[in-house]
């Protein structure tokens, strides 16, 4: 007279297997997500550097001053505005020649524009050099501060690399 009850549901082992599979897939997905985010920030840095390089070229052509090796325009003289533009915290002589966005610090140097990836107030992974058009030099370079930065430079189309690891410098073809 005992009736056997039919049990439904999952065992603890089956539930743990599903949780482990989901954790593995989430780990793979999160790594891919982080790479995609950094690649988009890399593209943002390229755009910011190219914008400032074009503004420097316009400044010199507008002012009929192409003696760029002797001087450089201050950031306030350039017609460039970035979202989330903040003052640079640099206390060096570059303070007046600097733009700072959320992820990059852009400094107008004597013969080039340096764009450095920052996190907080420290340099992180990679940087770019942009040369204004009127100097007739190589247009872009990507350098790395870490091996991950070097891998990112290569994956974003920079070739003709010299050096290795942390000291890698690559040129755009």
């Amino acid at each position: 007279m005992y009736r056997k009850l039919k049990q439904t549901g999952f065992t603890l082992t089956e539930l743990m297997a599903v949780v482990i599979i989901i954790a593995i897939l989430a780990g793979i997905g999160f790594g891919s997500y982080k790479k995609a985010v950094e690649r988009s920030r890399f593209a943002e840095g390229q755009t910011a550097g190219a914008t400032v390089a074009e503004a420097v070229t316009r400044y010199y052509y507008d002012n009929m001053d192409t003696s760029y090796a002797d001087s450089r325009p201050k950031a306030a003289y350039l017609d460039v505005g970035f979202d989330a533009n903040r003052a640079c915290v640099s206390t060096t002589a570059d303070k007046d020649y600097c733009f700072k966005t959320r992820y990059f610090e852009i400094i107008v140097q004597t013969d080039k524009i340096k764009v450095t990836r920052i996190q907080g107030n420290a340099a992180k992974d990679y940087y770019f050099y942009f040369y204004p058009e009127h100097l007739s030099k190589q247009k872009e370079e990507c350098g790395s501060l870490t091996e991950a930065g070097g891998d990112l430079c290569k994956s974003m189309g920079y070739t003709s690399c010299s050096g290795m690891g942390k000291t890698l410098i690559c040129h755009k073809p």
Side-chain angles (χ1 to χ4, degrees):
M1 314 290 205
Y2 292 101
R3 282 180 35 196
K4 196 171 194 180
L5 297 174
K6 186 174 181 183
Q7 291 185 338
T8 59
F10 300 104
T11 65
L12 183 60
T13 306
E14 292 169 332
L15 287 174
M16 290 301 293
V18 169
V19 168
I20 289 171
I21 290 170
I22 289 173
I24 290 170
L25 292 175
I28 293 169
F30 185 70
S32 297
Y33 171 75
K34 283 179 65 174
K35 286 179 185 177
V37 166
E38 195 56 45
R39 287 175 65 96
S40 72
R41 289 184 182 149
F42 190 97
E44 177 186 331
Q46 286 178 310
T47 303
T51 300
V52 172
E54 289 171 12
V56 167
T57 298
R58 280 193 311 272
Y59 173 83
Y60 279 103
Y61 287 147
D62 289 348
N63 294 297
M64 301 302 283
D65 180 10
T66 56
S67 60
Y68 191 57
D70 299 331
S71 63
R72 56 186 171 158
K74 291 185 177 184
Y77 300 157
L78 301 176
D79 56 343
V80 175
F82 295 112
D83 287 342
N85 190 21
R86 317 178 270 170
C88 294
V89 294
S90 175
T91 57
T92 65
D94 289 334
K95 185 175 182 180
D96 291 334
Y97 305 95
C98 183
F99 298 94
K100 189 172 184 182
T101 66
R102 186 171 182 185
Y103 302 109
F104 293 94
E105 187 168 83
I106 305 152
I107 298 175
V108 178
Q109 296 180 339
T110 321
D111 61 342
K112 60 188 167 273
I113 287 82
K114 183 175 184 181
V115 181
T116 306
R117 170 74 167 94
I118 56 169
Q119 187 168 25
N121 286 326
K124 180 185 187 243
D125 291 340
Y126 57 89
Y127 57 91
F128 305 104
Y129 285 126
F130 289 86
Y131 298 91
E133 183 181 307
H134 68 278
L135 293 176
S136 301
K137 290 186 176 182
Q138 173 71 35
K139 298 236 182 216
E140 262 180 74
E141 292 177 343
C142 180
S144 66
L145 300 170
T146 63
E147 287 190 34
D151 292 342
L152 191 57
C153 287
K154 289 178 185 176
S155 72
M156 293 298 283
Y158 288 84
T159 56
S160 306
C161 298
S162 59
M164 56 189 290
K166 293 182 180 181
T167 58
L168 187 70
I169 298 282
C170 300
H171 300 278
K172 199 86 163 176

